[in-house]
Amino acid sequence: MEKVFPKLQDEPWRVLEFYSGIGGMRYSLLSAGIHAKVVQAFDINDKANDVYEHNFGDRPYQGNIESLTAADIDSYQAHVWLLSPPCQPYTRQGLQKQSGDARAFSFLKILELMVEASRPPVMLFMENVVGFETSDTHTKMIEILEKTGFSTQEFILSPMQFGVPYSRPRYFCLAKRKPLFFEKELYNNQLLWSPNPLLDSDANLESIETHGSQATSDKLLLSCEPICRFLDHSNHQELSFYDASSIQSEVALEKNKDADEQVIEPFNQYLVPSSLIDRWGSAMDIVYPDSRRCCCFTKSYYRYVKGTGSLLAPFETEGMGKAHSLKEQKLRYFTPREVANLHSFPEDFQFPQHIGLRQRKQTVNYQISDGFDNSSLISWVRFHEMKIQVIRNYALLGNSLSIAVVAPLLRYLFTEPS
């Protein structure tokens, strides 16, 4: 094994992006301004790969990571590995099988490849759920990193520490292979709850809200932007989030003006039904445009209410909202665009459209009996197709990472001390 696979001067860092999802890690690289090239992304989720390909133009490898060999890895000549492996083996709500969970096997395989490869990475970045740091998988990862000559710094950070009103604490491991070293080596082999090492100055940022005192949590809350800065105020929230040109071309196929207006998903699908308020109102986390914190959105948001993410009351102030009953507050779900905003995805990020109106029309025509309004049926099918896709998009976003947190961590990792 080579001790280090060096990067030539002015050459971009060659990056392998494992568990690439919808591209959060790659967007973080771009946001960090790092001179890097993703030579290959990997993800087994075909829908996530559709989104990745739509936004970046190249499609991740969709095979099983466990089938990769050391020769496969060496062929990419990559300097850096970025990883966001499945978190289910380590979540508090899960079975906590850790390394015994089948969903952990691919990450364990990657760790083995670090030992077997003749061109192992010189830097590694790994993200996962809080709880991973106490797992047997974490123990094995640290053992292998130490065995292969890496120094590590570990963090548990939340977007709230970067001004984003989103409580989503996550675990991060940054590793550099000797003779590379961190700019602030005094933090080596530590688990930090504050982003202080990422700062250019000596100013201290607050520790994560679940780890500090009440005074610390209150100060952290005040440092965040209000939620209204992350809301989508466009007339057609969903249309602005999809590939608008493809939707417009589809709409042009239909002659009925009323049908055209129905094709664009109405915003009222995000209103919370009264039946859910009756059943789950006491368990709902309700926020307002001037709130400075909302709960983490999970992949089950919109399908379930309890514990999956916050709901928004559109009143201008929290005090005004509390003066009304829950049903009077016109509670709604955050749209996928707004969830993406809270994950700090860029404005040009989009979900692709898969099914065109012409294809839908051919699909449903055989169901139409005499006297049934063809355009109404197509609009009804379109409505429910978009609803299914919205559910899918929430799931993809729920599995993604926070660019506001990852970008400065990557910038710190890639910094070459003088």
Side-chain angles (χ1 to χ4, degrees):
M1 181 190 298
E2 294 179 10
K3 289 187 176 181
V4 169
F5 174 47
K7 182 178 80 72
L8 300 177
Q9 189 175 10
D10 299 326
E11 176 190 11
W13 291 102
R14 295 175 62 83
V15 175
L16 292 182
E17 184 184 6
F18 295 96
Y19 314 99
S20 51
I22 57 176
M25 199 75 80
R26 185 159 174 177
Y27 277 123
S28 297
L29 272 175
L30 293 171
S31 178
I34 297 165
H35 184 41
K37 177 183 179 181
V38 176
V39 293
Q40 185 62 64
F42 303 82
D43 203 288
I44 202 167
N45 187 321
D46 61 331
K47 296 299 184 292
N49 290 341
D50 288 344
V51 179
Y52 191 103
E53 182 179 20
H54 180 76
N55 287 284
F56 295 111
D58 47 87
R59 190 173 185 84
Y61 171 81
Q62 201 164 313
N64 190 338
I65 289 175
E66 294 177 53
S67 66
L68 292 175
T69 66
D72 294 329
I73 293 297
D74 289 337
S75 69
Y76 294 114
Q77 300 184 27
H79 308 104
V80 185
W81 293 3
L82 307 179
L83 309 98
S84 185
C87 64
Q88 293 91 340
Y90 318 104
T91 58
R92 286 174 294 179
Q93 295 83 2
L95 298 176
Q96 296 185 336
K97 290 185 177 181
Q98 303 180 24
S99 293
D101 192 310
R103 290 166 291 192
F105 293 171
S106 61
F107 179 58
L108 294 171
K109 173 67 174 182
I110 291 172
L111 294 178
E112 292 174 5
L113 291 174
M114 290 188 63
V115 179
E116 298 170 0
S118 62
R119 291 176 178 268
V122 296
M123 288 191 290
L124 178 141
F125 179 93
M126 186 270 196
E127 179 264 0
N128 212 277
V129 68
V130 175
F132 175 85
E133 75 282 3
T134 60
S135 69
D136 60 350
T137 312
H138 171 268
T139 300
K140 182 167 186 177
M141 178 187 73
I142 296 299
E143 288 176 353
I144 290 177
L145 289 173
E146 290 178 350
K147 178 181 178 180
T148 50
F150 280 89
S151 301
T152 61
Q153 294 185 9
E154 300 173 273
F155 297 83
I156 291 180
L157 300 175
S158 169
M160 293 186 67
Q161 294 166 293
F162 298 85
V164 180
Y166 187 33
S167 179
R168 187 183 176 88
R170 284 296 184 270
Y171 164 85
F172 304 93
C173 177
L174 284 61
K176 283 191 169 186
R177 201 155 175 257
K178 300 171 184 177
L180 298 184
F181 59 94
F182 287 97
E183 185 178 22
K184 300 180 181 179
E185 292 187 278
L186 71 155
Y187 296 108
N188 284 3
N189 307 315
Q190 294 187 41
L191 175 62
L192 305 172
W193 294 73
S194 166
N196 288 330
L198 317 182
L199 304 177
D200 293 330
S201 66
D202 293 329
N204 289 324
L205 288 185
E206 299 301 329
S207 294
I208 198 166
E209 67 269 22
T210 56
H211 193 65
S213 65
Q214 185 60 50
T216 294
S217 296
D218 292 343
K219 188 175 180 181
L220 181 63
L221 196 68
L222 291 174
S223 70
C224 293
E225 296 281 349
I227 283 174
C228 61
R229 302 280 180 88
F230 298 82
L231 300 181
D232 187 348
H233 301 288
S234 61
N235 291 328
H236 297 295
Q237 283 88 341
E238 272 309 294
L239 181 60
S240 68
F241 197 35
Y242 292 96
D243 184 351
S245 61
S246 67
I247 297 179
Q248 291 167 356
S249 64
E250 292 174 357
V251 172
L253 297 174
E254 298 300 311
K255 296 181 180 180
N256 187 299
K257 181 178 179 181
D258 293 333
D260 286 354
E261 293 174 352
Q262 294 178 54
V263 163
I264 298 174
E265 172 67 329
F267 188 60
N268 64 10
Q269 77 153 320
Y270 297 106
L271 296 177
V272 180
S274 297
S275 58
L276 288 181
I277 295 176
D278 289 336
R279 185 174 182 183
W280 299 106
S282 61
M284 292 175 174
D285 183 77
I286 299 167
V287 298
Y288 303 84
D290 62 344
S291 298
R292 294 177 184 269
R293 181 184 184 277
C294 68
C295 292
C296 175
F297 298 103
T298 75
K299 64 181 182 180
S300 296
Y301 190 66
Y302 194 77
R303 291 192 298 127
Y304 301 101
V305 173
K306 186 177 180 180
T308 63
S310 299
L311 300 170
L312 180 70
F315 290 97
E316 288 300 318
T317 66
E318 182 174 342
M320 184 184 299
K322 288 182 176 180
H324 296 74
S325 69
L326 287 183
K327 289 186 178 180
E328 292 175 318
Q329 290 189 44
K330 298 180 180 178
L331 299 180
R332 71 167 177 86
Y333 297 92
F334 284 77
T335 69
R337 175 69 261 179
E338 291 165 345
V339 175
N341 291 345
L342 287 162
H343 282 81
S344 302
F345 274 74
E347 292 182 5
D348 60 358
F349 168 76
Q350 294 178 330
F351 282 105
Q353 289 293 112
H354 292 293
I355 304 175
L357 285 180
R358 189 184 302 278
Q359 178 182 345
R360 277 193 294 275
K361 192 168 183 177
Q362 293 171 350
T363 302
V364 302
N365 261 342
Y366 73 93
Q367 301 179 15
I368 301 173
S369 58
D370 291 340
F372 196 94
D373 185 349
N374 189 354
S375 62
S376 296
L377 179 56
I378 292 174
S379 296
W380 181 89
V381 171
R382 171 62 163 160
F383 179 92
H384 286 277
E385 282 174 350
M386 285 197 72
K387 196 159 189 175
I388 291 170
Q389 186 151 338
V390 163
I391 291 172
R392 180 183 298 149
N393 295 345
Y394 280 126
L396 293 171
L397 285 163
N399 284 330
S400 193
L401 47 76
S402 170
I403 295 170
V405 179
V406 175
L409 282 168
L410 288 176
R411 193 179 302 115
Y412 173 67
L413 174 66
F414 279 83
T415 297
E416 300 179 70
S418 54

